[in-house]
Amino acid sequence: MNEQKTRSKLNWVGSGDSKNDESLIKIANTIKQKHNITDLLYYQNFNNLEIKAKILYLQKVQDNYIIITDKTIFYPEGGGQVGDCGEMIIDSINIKIHDTKKIDDIVFHFINQQNADKLKINDINFINKEIIMLVNSDKRKKTSANHTATHLLHHALRLKLGNSVFQKGSYVDDIKLRFDFSYNKALTFDEIQWIEFKINQWIISNTKINIGIENKDDAIQNGVMALFGEKYDDKVRVVKVQNEDCKSMEFCGGTHVSSLGEIGLFKITSEAGIGGGIRRIEAKTGLEALNFVSSEMQKLYSAMQEHKIQNIEGNPLSKAISNLKNENKILQNTLLDSQSDLLLIHAKNNITIHNIFDIVSIKDLSISQANITLVINKKYAKVDKTIIFEYLKDDKQYFYIKLSKDFNKNSFEPILDEFIKQKDQKMQYKNTLKIYL
């Protein structure tokens, strides 16, 4: 019965969480039947990164060894946040823990085969042996900063885009954060800048984070945000960031900084749609954010040097872009002049005279299709006699028509259709397109 309850809980996987193996579910139920585990210290004090504990279970499961202890300070994967890593010391041997997960309140610590070999697990009984457990403090701090930043991002998005914005998923580790939210269009550059500025303002304020256990219904009534689809107990953990400008309140079981200043810096690295009215923002904090900004600046400076753009006072990038646009415009005009002259010479030698109109074949002329209209209009602004310019590309026959004052589109269309019909009988083109200039 307990196993069925556990499995039903695991049918739904929260934001960014991975599904658990059936074998782990069975182990969790076995441990719960044998032991009364109450010391879930990872939930009580995130600043405690070292503890003594006793081994209750040590066994190989697939490619990893699983260690379960009577108490732990390791945060298990949940709520989109990755599990802690670190190490444990057994008989003066340091063993790396590379991941932590939780199933039905039982915390699983994972070690790989190489580390397990150090312990000679097959030769020694480790059950009830006392060990020292140490959380990787650097990874924990960076992950906590990114998790708190997701709360600030959620709040900032709702302030800027409206209360119809809701979190739809997240992923948090020590390198970056990913945040999915409901919104039906791309954010503008100004919106992204506003959100970044607002979050960094809150970080500079160094507001203290308040974390406590509250009654679920009372918390919701007081404005605390519960994520749609999440399942909560009657008593919930609430994370609050409150000052004059920021009123973020959410249910959350993850690790967080003590005050906002510990985040250091917040920088959005990408924003994109992932389908179904869901947008995704990726961002970095702290030194990772600073390294990202430095890398982007290096790319900019390299581009400036490549194009010999001087870093002058004012807005050098804006001036440089303006200069490049002017240079590009000059080059385009030069190209059009050259191609227009080429068209004029070509037309004299490749023109077919009809009673009503003339035809110029430009299928062998090296003019890009994008420039044909510009080139024709440049040299044939006004014509005394209607001219049809033929252009062939990829089995498509294009007819560019420059009408004289004797015709308009409606009056010339039947004449053109009859002409195309006669040509198609000979050439049999798959597609024919008409463009009136």
Side-chain angles (χ1 to χ4, degrees):
M1 186 65 180
N2 286 334
E3 192 171 316
Q4 281 184 323
K5 288 181 179 179
T6 302
R7 189 177 287 105
S8 67
K9 288 182 180 180
L10 296 172
N11 284 335
W12 183 87
V13 180
S15 308
D17 300 347
S18 59
K19 289 187 177 180
N20 295 293
D21 189 89
E22 287 285 329
S23 57
L24 300 185
I25 297 173
K26 292 179 180 179
I27 294 170
N29 281 288
T30 299
I31 294 296
K32 291 197 77 172
Q33 289 170 10
K34 289 183 178 180
H35 303 277
N36 181 23
I37 299 178
T38 57
D39 293 325
L40 298 175
L41 299 185
Y42 72 88
Y43 197 80
Q44 298 170 14
N45 185 1
F46 293 134
N47 295 319
N48 187 6
L49 302 177
E50 180 177 343
I51 193 175
K52 288 183 179 180
K54 286 184 180 181
I55 295 176
L56 300 181
Y57 183 92
L58 198 164
Q59 194 63 255
K60 187 174 184 179
V61 178
Q62 296 180 358
D63 296 329
N64 291 284
Y65 277 83
I66 305 295
I67 294 180
I68 300 174
T69 54
D70 65 336
K71 60 186 73 172
T72 186
I73 49 170
F74 277 66
Y75 178 82
E77 176 188 314
Q81 180 176 330
V82 296
D84 274 335
C85 64
E87 60 183 1
M88 59 182 182
I89 303 173
I90 307 176
D91 293 341
S92 300
I93 301 173
N94 287 55
I95 302 299
K96 289 186 178 179
I97 298 171
H98 65 81
D99 197 8
T100 311
K101 296 181 183 292
K102 183 181 73 169
I103 300 175
D104 202 18
D105 292 334
I106 304 300
V107 178
F108 292 73
H109 309 85
F110 292 79
I111 64 174
N112 60 29
Q113 181 69 54
Q114 185 179 0
N115 281 282
D117 290 342
K118 294 180 183 179
L119 293 174
K120 299 180 180 178
I121 288 174
N122 295 328
D123 302 327
I124 303 173
N125 182 10
F126 288 94
I127 303 303
N128 291 323
K129 184 175 282 289
E130 188 171 80
I131 62 172
I132 298 173
M133 306 185 75
L134 303 162
V135 173
N136 184 319
S137 60
D138 183 60
K139 183 177 180 181
R140 166 73 78 80
K141 287 177 182 178
K142 290 176 180 177
T143 304
S144 297
N146 281 336
H147 199 149
T148 303
T150 64
H151 286 225
L152 299 182
L153 176 58
H154 193 187
H155 189 54
L157 285 167
R158 287 170 63 83
L159 284 178
K160 185 63 178 175
L161 306 179
N163 290 335
S164 61
V165 171
F166 286 100
Q167 179 177 338
K168 292 296 182 180
S170 67
Y171 173 83
V172 176
D173 62 20
D174 57 322
I175 303 298
K176 67 177 182 180
L177 65 94
R178 186 178 71 215
F179 189 82
D180 300 341
F181 59 100
S182 55
Y183 200 60
N184 57 10
K185 61 181 179 180
L187 272 63
T188 66
F189 177 76
D190 287 343
E191 287 169 337
I192 290 174
Q193 273 201 320
W194 187 94
I195 290 164
E196 278 188 346
F197 184 80
K198 180 61 67 177
I199 291 173
N200 282 301
Q201 266 191 324
W202 294 335
I203 291 170
I204 292 170
S205 74
N206 201 28
T207 301
K208 186 178 179 181
I209 310 294
N210 292 312
I211 300 175
I213 306 299
E214 298 184 17
N215 179 278
K216 180 183 69 174
D217 294 334
D218 291 342
I220 292 174
Q221 202 167 28
N222 291 330
V224 179
M225 185 170 294
L227 301 184
F228 179 77
E230 295 275 7
K231 296 179 180 179
Y232 299 100
D233 294 330
D234 291 335
K235 294 291 183 180
V236 292
R237 186 168 177 271
V238 177
V239 178
K240 296 180 180 179
V241 183
Q242 293 181 298
N243 57 35
E244 292 182 0
D245 193 37
C246 181
K247 309 292 181 187
S248 170
M249 300 184 293
E250 293 189 23
F251 294 166
C252 184
T255 67
H256 290 273
V257 297
S258 299
S259 56
L260 295 184
E262 295 173 34
I263 298 173
L265 175 67
F266 176 85
K267 177 64 182 173
I268 292 174
T269 58
S270 68
E271 190 276 337
I274 58 172
I278 306 296
R279 308 294 300 177
R280 171 171 291 173
I281 283 178
E282 292 192 0
K284 295 179 180 290
T285 63
L287 289 177
E288 291 291 339
L290 185 60
N291 288 337
F292 175 81
V293 173
S294 297
S295 175
E296 293 300 296
M297 290 299 295
Q298 183 58 51
K299 292 176 187 176
L300 175 61
Y301 285 135
S302 295
M304 290 172 68
Q305 288 178 343
E306 182 181 347
H307 296 284
K308 298 179 181 179
I309 300 169
Q310 293 183 346
N311 189 11
I312 56 178
E313 292 183 4
N315 190 340
L317 183 58
S318 178
K319 290 179 181 178
I321 291 173
S322 178
N323 290 337
L324 287 173
K325 283 182 177 179
N326 290 333
E327 289 178 16
N328 188 49
K329 190 173 182 180
I330 292 170
L331 289 172
Q332 282 184 329
N333 287 333
T334 302
L335 178 63
L336 286 176
D337 285 338
S338 174
Q339 292 185 338
S340 298
D341 292 337
L342 186 64
L343 174 65
L344 198 61
I345 296 169
H346 182 83
K348 290 179 181 179
N349 299 318
N350 295 273
I351 192 166
T352 303
I353 308 298
H354 287 253
N355 291 331
I356 300 174
F357 55 85
D358 295 338
I359 301 171
V360 176
S361 174
I362 56 175
K363 62 182 180 181
D364 298 322
L365 198 57
S366 58
I367 299 176
S368 64
Q369 189 177 357
N371 281 346
I372 287 177
T373 300
L374 294 173
V375 168
I376 293 173
N377 283 332
K378 192 173 183 67
K379 287 298 180 183
Y380 295 89
K382 290 183 180 181
V383 292
D384 295 326
K385 186 179 181 181
T386 297
I387 302 178
I388 300 173
F389 296 87
E390 291 182 279
Y391 181 80
L392 176 65
K393 184 176 176 63
D394 299 330
D395 289 331
K396 289 183 181 179
Q397 182 76 2
Y398 295 85
F399 292 95
Y400 294 86
I401 304 101
K402 191 71 180 180
L403 294 173
S404 68
K405 61 182 180 180
D406 299 322
F407 293 100
N408 57 36
K409 181 180 177 181
N410 290 334
S411 61
F412 190 73
E413 190 76 9
I415 299 171
L416 179 61
D417 286 343
E418 181 61 28
F419 170 73
I420 292 173
K421 182 179 178 182
Q422 292 176 8
K423 282 190 70 69
D424 277 349
Q425 289 175 354
K426 297 177 181 180
M427 308 302 293
Q428 294 183 340
Y429 293 115
K430 293 180 180 179
N431 293 294
T432 300
L433 299 171
K434 297 175 287 187
I435 300 102
Y436 283 88
L437 304 176

